[in-house]
Amino acid sequence: ETGVTQTPRHLVMGMTNKKSLKCEQHLGHNAMYWYKQSAKKPLELMFVYSLEERVENNSVPSRFSPECPNSSHLFLHLHTLQPEDSALYLCASSQDQGLYNEQFFGPGTRLTVL
Amino acid sequence: DAKTTQPPSMDCAEGRAANLPCNHSTISGNEYVYWYRQIHSQGPQYIIHGLKNNETNEMASLIITEDRKSSTLILPHATLRDTAVYYCIVPRDTGNQFYFGTGTSLTVIP
């Protein structure tokens, strides 16, 4: 247990659906991250939040919409996804957003887009 | 931009030490080296990090060469549960961004 939880663990959705992924950290951290891991590919950083402000958006399509209502919770809202968006979505947190803060990862949400 | 180079795969006999190398020849003086591992279909797990001194914790040891251009992660007594992909990371100097690369797939053999 890393102190970072993600729900749901598995999600199957159609291309016209709207769904949300949830991440919660119980570590008192100030920074949170969304990563995407497609099959046979490295993890890709999607978004970074620090003190509930988005500080990084790595050219992610607008069909992915993050939300950070407080420092413990992070959401990823999904709409009109494509089959190539099927992947493992990982949430992480760190004490702060600056360097030299190790990141703690949740177990991930396995997303399948039909 | 990976900043690190690792062999794609390695095998290790159960109970023996696993030595995983990493080259980071362009590392700058204030950049740390981090190691994570990812067991199949789980989130990455932090292992250890270091700057220039060798480091040891309950999971592993990290040996960094004097010129800091390479390092070795040592799992002293590998078990089957250590089978995973191991990532050597030098975070980007802005924003604590970790580039995970493709790592080394370690298989511990009974």
Side-chain angles (χ1 to χ4, degrees), chain A residues 33 35 37 42-43 45 56 58 90 94 97-103 105-107 110, chain B residues 30 32 34 36 38 41 43-44 46 49 87 91-93 95-98 100-102:
Chain A
Y33 310 78
Y35 288 83
Q37 188 173 34
L43 278 79
L45 179 64
E56 192 78 27
N58 280 353
L90 291 155
S94 63
Q97 192 249 331
L99 270 182
Y100 321 133
N101 282 269
E102 55 263 36
Q103 296 182 19
F105 284 79
R110 175 71 61 187
Chain B
N30 62 347
Y32 280 71
Y34 281 79
Y36 279 74
Q38 187 175 21
S41 291
Y46 165 80
H49 73 282
Y87 299 98
R92 282 171 50 178
D93 56 5
N96 202 35
Q97 295 196 24
F98 283 61
F100 278 79
T102 52

Side-chain angles (χ1 to χ4, degrees), chain A residues 70-90:
Chain A
N70 55 63
S71 59
S72 298
H73 293 87
L74 185 65
F75 295 89
L76 188 63
H77 304 300
L78 316 170
H79 64 97
T80 58
L81 294 192
Q82 305 298 312
E84 59 264 29
D85 296 322
S86 298
L88 180 68
Y89 288 84
L90 291 155

